Amino acid sequence: DTLWDLAIAEVEKRENPDDDDVKPGEVWEKSILFMGNKNGGKTTIILRCLEREEPPKPTLALEYTFGRRARRHNTPKDVAHFWELGGGTSLVELIRIPITSHNIRSFAVVLVLDLSKPNELWTTMESLLQVTRNHVNKILTKLEKTNPEVAAEIKQRMWNNLQRDHPDSALVDPFPIPLVIIGSKYDIFQEFDSEMRKIISKTLRFVSHYYGASLVFTSKSEALLLKARALINPLAFGYDKSKSVSVDPSKPLFIPAGLDSMSQIGPPPASDSDLGKIRANTPLELWKKVFEKTFPPKSFCDLQDTKDPAQDSQYAEYEVDVMRAQKNQELEQYKRNASKSWKEMDFDSD
């Protein structure tokens, strides 16, 4: 290599510190899973990231699309795989399909939380992140046996957003893969009472910092969608990470991972006497109890998607529907016959 080749390689390495294994001219692939509240705006955000001008459609189960971008002029286009989990929390087990041991090094998660539904916020967030984390940890456990270097690299990367000797290092528990939390429907949220907005904003700031995640509030506004894209595109296409921060509770939050702190966030929004009465084992549990005191959660069952996609007119197919109706009739007949058979059985009293 000439001196110029070495200089170019060094500049590319500095511009893309997380992609040391990607050689100049080589195509990379990244994957992102979008999940969150049902009808929370996930599809709209994906379409804006991919610069597609088309109306969003309801997501059925797990959907896939992709985008291509060139990092520089005259270079091959990189590929970003976008997965979207529909149904709120009802289909969370489907995350096992896109997140695998083969792509775990280049995978990220975007959690979209509907700010207009604070009573669903914590339950949705907790259930989705818990299942995802458990699945990722199982993959990492297997990798420790088959490829310990990769497993160690992924675990170390969890802490990269926190500076060395960060005062919060003992108080946080970073998510095992990159995480972005988006508060959607800010246009409705900003009409809330100021105290309600303050509690929601402080809580999401804490949760994001606790998990080592980025946080942004958005809506259908083009300016706010661009802010969300500014946090997603570095994960999808390797664009430069934003260094700007907005923590003013009267404005949409924008906080890249690692740029917040417990001292700036402050204590949970409750009086000292109330905090003294709350029993919690972790900071996350403490914030949960304070938040749910103001916004009692809906039960997990209430958040399930009860609509049967098979009855949705947009997916109608005549031949399939006729066969389905026939099978339903056969099933009902089987149930009646089985019930009759059980009733006619003469069980021995012994």
Side-chain angles (χ1 to χ4, degrees):
D1 290 342
T2 67
L3 182 60
W4 284 112
D5 291 332
L6 295 173
I8 292 172
E10 180 63 24
V11 169
E12 289 182 342
K13 183 177 180 180
R14 291 180 181 179
E15 290 180 348
N16 301 281
D18 296 332
D19 307 297
D20 295 336
D21 295 335
V22 180
K23 299 176 182 178
E26 184 179 343
V27 174
W28 74 357
E29 294 188 33
K30 298 283 187 177
S31 299
I32 299 180
L33 172 65
F34 287 74
M35 56 187 184
N37 290 93
K38 189 174 186 295
N39 298 320
K42 300 182 291 295
T43 305
T44 299
I45 296 170
I46 292 173
L47 291 174
R48 193 65 195 87
C49 287
L50 297 176
E51 298 181 356
R52 293 182 185 171
E53 299 295 335
E54 57 187 77
K57 299 178 180 179
T59 302
L60 179 67
L62 184 67
E63 296 193 1
Y64 167 82
T65 188
F66 71 94
R68 302 179 68 201
R69 296 281 191 280
R71 274 171 285 168
R72 297 170 191 81
H73 185 61
N74 290 332
T75 60
K77 290 185 176 181
D78 299 317
V79 180
H81 305 280
F82 287 79
W83 296 86
E84 182 182 357
L85 180 68
T89 58
S90 61
L91 303 172
V92 66
E93 295 299 328
L94 291 179
I95 64 163
R96 299 176 182 178
I97 295 174
I99 308 178
T100 69
S101 58
H102 299 292
N103 63 15
I104 192 68
R105 292 180 70 189
S106 58
F107 211 99
V109 170
V110 175
L111 176 64
V112 181
L113 299 174
D114 189 337
L115 296 174
S116 70
K117 300 176 181 177
N119 296 86
E120 298 180 11
L121 192 150
W122 195 286
T123 305
T124 299
M125 174 189 67
E126 186 175 56
S127 58
L128 290 174
L129 291 185
Q130 187 174 41
V131 173
T132 305
R133 185 168 206 158
N134 290 341
H135 176 60
V136 172
N137 284 339
K138 287 180 181 178
I139 293 176
L140 293 178
T141 300
K142 292 180 181 179
L143 278 177
E144 286 176 344
K145 299 176 182 177
T146 60
N147 198 334
E149 291 183 358
V150 171
E153 173 197 324
I154 294 173
K155 289 187 174 182
Q156 177 56 43
R157 196 187 304 169
M158 292 164 52
W159 295 92
N160 285 352
N161 288 322
L162 279 184
Q163 299 174 352
R164 290 184 179 180
D165 302 323
H166 195 288
D168 298 339
S169 58
L171 301 173
V172 299
D173 186 16
F175 206 68
I177 55 179
L179 173 65
V180 174
I181 297 178
I182 296 179
S184 65
K185 301 188 180 178
Y186 179 79
D187 52 333
I188 300 176
F189 170 78
Q190 66 181 347
E191 301 298 326
F192 286 3
D193 173 77
S194 61
E195 191 61 28
M196 290 175 61
R197 295 201 311 269
K198 179 181 178 182
I199 293 172
I200 296 171
S201 296
K202 284 192 68 172
T203 300
L204 286 180
R205 281 183 66 185
F206 168 80
V207 169
S208 298
H209 186 57
Y210 182 82
Y211 283 126
S214 299
L215 174 65
V216 61
F217 284 0
T218 189
S219 68
K220 291 183 179 180
S221 159
E222 181 67 15
L224 293 185
L225 284 172
L226 287 174
K227 284 184 173 291
R229 192 175 72 168
L231 291 179
I232 295 170
N233 276 352
L235 300 176
F237 302 110
Y239 293 175
D240 292 339
K241 299 175 182 178
S242 176
K243 293 293 194 298
S244 65
V245 177
S246 176
V247 296
D248 187 342
S250 65
K251 299 178 181 178
L253 296 181
F254 182 88
I255 311 172
L259 299 185
D260 212 343
S261 67
M262 296 296 187
S263 60
Q264 295 180 62
I265 297 169
S271 65
D272 293 341
S273 59
D274 287 340
L275 287 176
K277 298 174 184 177
I278 298 175
R279 300 182 64 180
N281 296 319
T282 65
L284 187 67
E285 186 179 353
L286 176 63
W287 277 81
K288 175 184 178 180
K289 292 185 175 181
V290 171
F291 183 81
E292 292 185 342
K293 185 176 181 180
T294 304
F295 303 105
K298 286 190 174 183
S299 68
F300 185 78
C301 293
D302 292 339
L303 299 180
Q304 297 295 308
D305 184 14
T306 57
K307 185 177 180 181
D308 183 359
Q311 307 301 322
D312 195 325
S313 59
Q314 70 173 318
Y315 304 113
E317 292 187 35
Y318 178 75
E319 292 82 359
V320 175
D321 293 340
V322 169
M323 183 61 67
R324 175 66 184 266
Q326 179 182 332
K327 292 298 181 183
N328 285 342
Q329 292 177 359
E330 293 174 358
L331 177 61
E332 290 303 318
Q333 184 62 45
Y334 172 80
K335 289 179 179 178
R336 287 193 292 269
N337 292 340
S339 177
K340 184 178 180 181
S341 298
W342 278 99
K343 290 178 180 178
E344 291 176 349
M345 284 186 179
D346 183 16
F347 291 98
D348 191 338
S349 58
D350 295 337

